[in-house]
Amino acid sequence: MFDIRPVKSKRDLDRFIDLPMRLQADDPAYVAPLKMERRQALSAKTNPFFHYADVQFWLAFEGDEVVGRISAQSDRRLPGIGHFGMLAGKDDPALFKALFATAEAWLAARGLTRIQGPFNLSINEEIGVLVDGFDTPPMLLMGHDQRHVAERIAERGYAQVKDVYAYLYSTRGKAPKWLDRMTGRALPKSVTLRQLDWKRYDEDLAAVVDIFNDAWSDNWGFLPLAKDELDALAKALKPLVHKELVQIIDVEGRPAGFGICLPNLNEAIRDLRGSLLPFGWAKLLWRLKISGVKSARVPLMGFRREFAKTQIGGLLPFLVIGRLREEAAKLGMAQVEFSWVLEDNLPMRHVCEALAGPPYKTYRIFEKVLPA
């Protein structure tokens, strides 16, 4: 018998954060996120997502031991749809039954009719449960789940609604000849490719938000990225940003597309077990600033829809990716992950697969109709 209790205290939240690290302690591919970062991400004081959503966290106890966790989110921007997330637990169907019953009842009581997930906490953060690619560690802001979790979700009557992919692109060796031909020629006079300008940081950030919300507006599950949400993300990630790895492409003087590549923080923290004390700070700074990391992730990329079916529009992604590849290689980064990419976002999948081959990780999103 499992006792499902809401998270109410700082101690509860610490237990909530620590559980996946304890459950996956023997998994060589698991990387514990920094506890400090997790506290900020799950706090209404520091995560703007809580401005738009009601959120509840629960812990599952078996006796005095924490054995599972789940969250439920009711985003007021998404009428009728609730989300679950932060899911982890030992491999026991009865445990997952109790966790989901609690989250579903909480959402149904708020008049929601469907539940989707996992989202940690929104579609603009970590999404999906890992279903393929368990043998490699996750990149920055990507999840890593125990193998049984997806099966336990499906057992609760959830159906697959969408898969998202991650692609691993090597910067070693020469670029494909066809890419050199596309990106090596002189740019049209109307097109300018430039890096982030720290002196106009706010202006460039606003352009990124505007392009993202336009480029992704037709995608499944789209939720506009609010300025305060991006501001919080930009503040949290600013120590990782290299201006050369933020590329903005202007067409006729107007920002038309962008790509953001970030050093893979997970590579630098793999052995820290989520803590920067007592010597984690020194190790992290050394690895990020001195020795460097050998991998990176492109978490955000987008191009205005007005260019989608134009000759220039077909060139823009390759120009941005080509430049990011060059700059990442200069910084000693041998691999770059493109993620996540929706299974039905065929234009971006074609770009990624032309450069990187098939996806090396797959994450799945599930859905269920809530009882009336």
Side-chain angles (χ1 to χ4, degrees), residues 3 9 45 66 86 115 118 173 196 271 281 294 304 314 352 372:
D3 183 14
S9 66
K45 295 180 180 179
V66 176
M86 311 304 299
I115 179 172
L196 173 70
D271 61 344
W281 278 111
K294 306 303 180 185
R304 293 193 186 278
C352 292

Side-chain angles (χ1 to χ4, degrees), residues 94-323:
L95 168 63
F96 283 83
K97 180 180 180 180
L99 287 169
F100 275 107
T102 302
E104 290 168 10
W106 188 87
L107 292 170
R110 283 155 177 77
L112 301 172
T113 58
R114 284 188 294 156
I115 179 172
Q116 295 175 342
F119 294 100
N120 304 335
L121 294 166
S122 82
I123 196 169
N124 292 327
E125 299 177 67
E126 294 179 18
I127 72 169
V129 58
L130 186 67
V131 296
D132 184 58
F134 293 94
D135 56 338
T136 53
M139 292 275 188
L140 167 75
L141 298 177
M142 295 292 281
H144 186 82
D145 302 284
Q146 294 175 282
R147 293 175 182 268
H148 64 264
V149 175
E151 182 179 352
R152 299 286 87 80
I153 296 173
E155 285 177 349
R156 303 315 316 151
Y158 285 78
Q160 173 186 346
V161 65
K162 198 68 64 177
D163 279 355
V164 300
Y165 300 131
Y167 296 87
L168 197 59
Y169 180 38
S170 174
T171 67
R172 290 175 173 161
K174 294 183 179 180
K177 291 182 178 180
W178 61 265
L179 180 61
D180 281 340
R181 287 195 298 269
M182 291 184 70
T183 61
R185 66 188 67 167
L187 293 178
K189 292 182 179 180
S190 61
V191 177
T192 304
L193 186 58
R194 60 182 176 87
Q195 65 187 27
L196 173 70
D197 185 346
W198 288 115
K199 294 180 180 179
R200 52 189 285 188
Y201 179 76
D202 289 341
E203 181 181 343
D204 281 349
L205 190 65
V208 165
V209 174
D210 187 50
I211 295 169
F212 175 86
N213 286 338
D214 175 65
W216 286 63
S217 59
D218 284 343
N219 286 354
W220 177 88
F222 171 71
L223 184 65
L225 190 62
K227 179 65 163 54
D228 58 352
E229 290 178 295
L230 187 62
D231 283 345
L233 182 62
K235 181 179 179 181
L237 298 177
K238 195 170 184 178
L240 297 177
V241 172
H242 292 264
K243 62 181 181 179
E244 304 92 335
L245 296 182
V246 179
Q247 293 291 326
I248 298 171
I249 196 159
D250 298 329
V251 176
E252 296 181 351
R254 177 174 170 243
F258 73 93
I260 298 175
C261 184
L262 296 171
N264 179 24
L265 178 66
N266 282 7
E267 182 184 330
I269 66 173
R270 282 196 68 177
D271 61 344
L272 301 185
R273 295 184 59 81
S275 176
L276 292 175
L277 299 174
F279 304 114
W281 278 111
K283 291 180 180 179
L284 179 58
L285 290 174
W286 173 266
R287 292 166 183 173
L288 289 177
K289 301 299 183 182
I290 308 298
S291 64
V293 296
K294 306 303 180 185
S295 56
R297 178 183 171 224
V298 177
L300 290 173
M301 181 179 291
F303 304 89
R304 293 193 186 278
R305 288 184 299 153
E306 66 190 80
F307 298 106
K309 296 183 179 180
T310 67
Q311 186 174 0
I312 288 179
L315 181 63
L316 298 184
F318 292 101
L319 290 172
V320 170
I321 290 172
R323 182 64 58 82

Side-chain angles (χ1 to χ4, degrees), residues 12-27:
D12 289 344
L13 185 61
D14 286 343
R15 286 172 160 180
F16 190 89
I17 291 170
D18 288 345
L19 179 64
M21 182 173 66
R22 181 158 55 82
L23 292 173
Q24 300 185 74
D26 295 329
D27 185 344

Side-chain angles (χ1 to χ4, degrees), residues 31 84 191 255:
V31 180
F84 73 89
V191 177

